[in-house]
Amino acid sequence: MDDPPGSDMCSVCHGNFDTPCQANCSHWFCGNCIMLVWHHGSALQPCKCPLCRRYITLLVPSEASLRQADRPEVAEILGRVERYNRYFGDHPRSLIQRGQDLPFFLRRLLRELIDPNRSLPPRRMAQICFAMILLAIYLVSPVDLIPEAIFGLLGYVDDFFVALVILFNLAAISRSILYHRHGGS
């Protein structure tokens, strides 16, 4: 699902979506509306989501928007979204921001892997496979940093942190793919 829910409406203009874009917080907006929100504030920093108040560091246009890119008004909005992504998509983010973005980027990565119409670059596919194999091997192997047999439930802490680090890595790969597809160089 790379389009907003059919019954949903833009929370800025309260109308049907026109050139819908999904923010890294998973909320959907009209491309023009979210650009107006950005221009209303400081043009030197990313805008905050009108719903959850998180900084929007990446906007992903819907598939329908990309299919209409030949229309001049849609092309102009997509160009502004791409420029926004170039300005803010590659900035450093806090660990909290990365944690909040984790579900969005992992869902997007899963869609990339499942959709037969999309192909990931071989290097990215190799990174993803390597990270997933590494995670599976670590979780299944009896070798642990903190052994469960000795420390009981506390022994699962290292498994949790290793899994979290690998999931953050997978989310970073997904972010990189989306950034380069929708604004990065």
Side-chain angles (χ1 to χ4, degrees):
M1 179 182 105
D2 284 337
D3 292 316
S7 61
D8 206 3
M9 298 180 119
C10 176
S11 61
V12 177
C13 67
H14 302 289
N16 291 328
F17 289 105
D18 183 35
T19 318
C21 294
Q22 189 176 29
N24 57 293
C25 60
S26 296
H27 292 121
W28 287 93
F29 305 99
C30 297
N32 194 43
C33 291
I34 199 64
M35 290 294 99
L36 290 173
V37 169
W38 174 47
H39 288 297
H40 181 70
S42 171
L44 299 176
Q45 65 182 12
C47 65
K48 288 186 175 182
C49 173
L51 296 172
C52 66
R53 307 304 300 155
R54 284 180 38 206
Y55 282 109
I56 296 175
T57 56
L58 190 67
L59 288 167
V60 181
S62 70
E63 293 293 323
S65 298
L66 295 173
R67 284 192 299 270
Q68 297 176 355
D70 55 340
R71 292 180 31 214
E73 63 274 4
V74 173
E76 179 189 346
I77 292 169
L78 292 177
R80 288 190 287 158
V81 167
E82 198 172 294
R83 190 168 44 253
Y84 182 90
N85 286 339
R86 270 196 311 273
Y87 291 157
F88 306 114
D90 207 19
H91 283 257
R93 290 164 316 285
S94 70
L95 189 59
I96 292 172
Q97 176 81 30
R98 290 173 193 256
Q100 290 172 334
D101 291 347
L102 191 65
F104 172 76
F105 288 116
L106 291 178
R107 272 195 312 270
R108 283 284 180 167
L109 184 63
L110 184 61
R111 280 188 218 141
E112 293 282 336
L113 292 172
I114 292 174
D115 191 350
N117 296 326
R118 293 190 179 157
S119 62
L120 293 172
R123 186 186 83 158
R124 295 295 186 190
M125 187 59 94
Q127 286 176 323
I128 293 166
C129 290
F130 180 72
M132 292 169 70
I133 290 170
L134 190 65
L135 177 62
I137 288 173
Y138 186 80
L139 292 176
V140 172
S141 75
V143 179
D144 276 336
L145 298 174
I146 304 173
E148 289 88 14
I150 296 171
F151 294 101
L153 286 178
L154 186 62
Y156 289 106
V157 171
D158 68 323
D159 294 343
F160 172 76
F161 281 111
V162 167
L164 195 61
V165 166
I166 291 176
L167 290 175
F168 274 127
N169 183 31
L170 289 172
I173 292 169
S174 176
R175 179 183 248 302
S176 175
I177 291 167
L178 291 171
Y179 171 70
H180 287 291
R181 188 177 293 157
H182 300 292
S185 49

